[in-house]
Amino acid sequence: MCVRIVRSPSTQSAADPIVAQGDDADQDSREAGDLNRIQGGRIAGERYGPAFTYLAPRSMPLPVLIAVPHAGRVYPEEVLGALRDPRLCQLRLEDRCVDALGLEIAAQTGGGLLVAHAPRAMLDLNRAHDDIDWEMIEGARRRPRGRDAGPRVANGNARAKSGLGLVPRRLPGFGEIWRGGLARGELDARIDWIHRPYHEFLAQELERIRAAWGTALLIDLHSMPPLRCQPGQTRAAQIVLGDRFGASCDGSLIARAMRHLEASGIETAHNRPYSGGYVLDRHAAPSRQVHALQLEVCRRAYLDETMSEPSAALPALAKRLAGLVRELGAHAVRLAHGGQLPQAAE
């Protein structure tokens, strides 16, 4: 089982395997050199560690938080045993090793990095807590019980009907993922210990950054299978930028991102086929200077031929994307301060 969770940028390379340590406290703070390290949530009781880790410089040089919700690779034994084809499901559902890319970008820019360790097969952090296919749940079919797990969404189980809801059920070309149903108590536990802590922490940290800078920029980092070349294109897009069709960030941020990537020779698409999901819907608030965009990166651009491990191309791609992050972070500050760039962001 591949468990490469998080590294300290000052001491480890992106390819080094390391298991995050901690006592599973909801907000277990660690200090490593000039970095603050926070761990939260739980994957499965006491055995498998925290659901996420956050690393950020004590003094951030720009108001950017990079979140990686789909690269988690800590699979409890009971989850692997319940999958019909564990290897295939891991490769298909994970944004394979995109946390290694995020780590390099964060190290080069000084942005915060939030990495989920719980795998998408257990719970998809880019889905609402009530986006559930109740036919796969053993027990009462009703909204998650107890205290609210987050904002309700319109068409609460729209994605679940396609097989890719809060807990994925089916994969195109493969069919049912699981050998059997999921107990209702297990679903509730995953919401309580994975979904809620992740999103509550993300919201709090974005507010902390906004309070310090007057703005915050969330970059929700994902990876995608290779796309087909579309009519009018000479090459298929390597990166897709999503802003919920203009709802999640100021339009000038997307315009700058498109120009920057195209000038770097990276074929880029906007909102198609990926416009962003629940993370952007829940956390973006451009009117309050909390901007968010989804960044989808083609797996061929940083993984090996089997699309399972980082390739030698990862550092160069990370360097190019770090330039993009610096430019967008500085522009977010200008938007918040009437076109002026404070000294701290230069």
Side-chain angles (χ1 to χ4, degrees):
M1 179 174 64
C2 177
V3 182
R4 285 182 304 277
I5 301 177
V6 67
R7 279 74 51 186
S8 168
S10 62
T11 60
Q12 307 247 345
S13 72
D16 288 337
I18 186 169
V19 178
Q21 302 296 320
D23 62 7
D24 294 340
D26 286 353
Q27 300 293 320
D28 180 23
S29 179
R30 298 285 186 264
E31 297 179 352
D34 61 349
L35 291 176
N36 286 325
R37 171 171 166 158
I38 298 171
Q39 295 179 323
R42 297 177 185 173
I43 291 177
E46 301 292 333
R47 296 178 58 195
Y48 294 97
F52 66 83
T53 295
Y54 181 65
L55 289 175
R58 297 186 187 187
S59 178
M60 294 177 68
L62 75 174
V64 174
L65 193 163
I66 301 165
V68 187
H70 283 169
R73 297 183 291 278
V74 181
Y75 290 85
E77 294 175 5
E78 55 270 28
V79 172
L80 288 174
L83 288 167
R84 288 177 55 208
D85 188 331
R87 178 65 175 171
L88 182 143
C89 290
Q90 286 173 287
L91 289 174
R92 291 279 299 274
L93 285 172
E94 293 173 12
D95 284 352
R96 191 72 173 181
C97 294
V98 80
D99 53 333
L101 184 64
L103 177 65
E104 291 295 327
I105 297 169
Q108 293 178 39
T109 62
L113 178 68
L114 176 63
V115 177
H117 308 319
R120 186 183 181 188
M122 285 186 71
L123 184 139
D124 190 335
L125 290 164
N126 203 23
R127 301 290 183 266
H129 72 285
D130 53 357
D131 196 358
I132 298 165
D133 183 344
W134 289 107
E135 292 184 359
M136 69 180 293
I137 306 302
E138 297 172 350
R141 300 179 185 179
R142 57 182 175 81
R143 187 168 182 251
R145 53 99 183 111
R147 60 191 187 281
D148 191 16
R152 297 197 71 174
V153 295
N155 301 317
N157 64 345
R159 302 245 183 155
K161 292 176 182 176
S162 71
L164 292 174
L166 182 67
V167 179
R169 179 178 179 178
R170 290 182 295 273
L171 284 172
F174 178 73
E176 294 286 329
I177 295 170
W178 305 100
R179 297 179 185 276
L182 179 68
R184 176 56 192 270
E186 174 63 18
L187 171 66
D188 288 341
R190 293 181 189 182
I191 293 171
D192 286 344
W193 292 107
I194 299 173
H195 194 276
R196 181 182 291 110
Y198 180 90
H199 284 286
E200 287 182 352
F201 177 83
L202 179 53
Q204 291 166 7
E205 184 62 7
L206 287 171
E207 281 302 305
R208 187 193 68 79
I209 294 170
R210 189 185 75 88
W213 286 84
T215 187
L217 173 61
L218 169 63
I219 296 178
D220 205 42
L221 182 61
H222 296 255
S223 71
M224 62 186 180
L227 298 177
R228 295 180 180 178
C229 196
Q230 298 299 311
Q233 290 182 324
T234 57
R235 296 180 300 162
Q238 286 188 299
I239 287 180
V240 177
L241 297 171
D243 66 352
R244 304 301 282 162
F245 298 97
S248 69
C249 70
D250 188 273
S252 62
L253 284 163
I254 286 291
R256 279 179 173 267
M258 296 290 289
R259 289 196 300 268
H260 183 100
L261 292 170
E262 289 169 359
S264 299
I266 300 176
E267 193 73 24
T268 307
H270 182 206
N271 282 326
R272 301 188 187 279
Y274 306 107
S275 66
Y278 175 73
V279 171
L280 269 58
D281 289 342
R282 176 163 179 175
H283 297 286
S287 63
R288 300 180 55 249
Q289 297 299 325
V290 178
H291 304 278
L293 61 87
Q294 181 171 289
L295 181 63
E296 291 270 3
V297 182
C298 178
R299 291 172 193 155
R300 215 173 253 160
Y302 71 95
L303 292 178
D304 61 14
E305 292 183 357
T306 66
M307 294 198 193
S308 61
E309 298 295 334
S311 72
L314 187 147
L317 177 61
K319 184 176 181 179
R320 296 163 89 178
L321 293 179
L324 170 68
V325 169
R326 283 191 291 268
E327 180 172 344
L328 295 182
H331 185 62
V333 175
R334 292 190 188 97
L335 287 172
H337 295 277
Q340 300 299 313
L341 187 62
Q343 183 70 28
E346 292 181 349

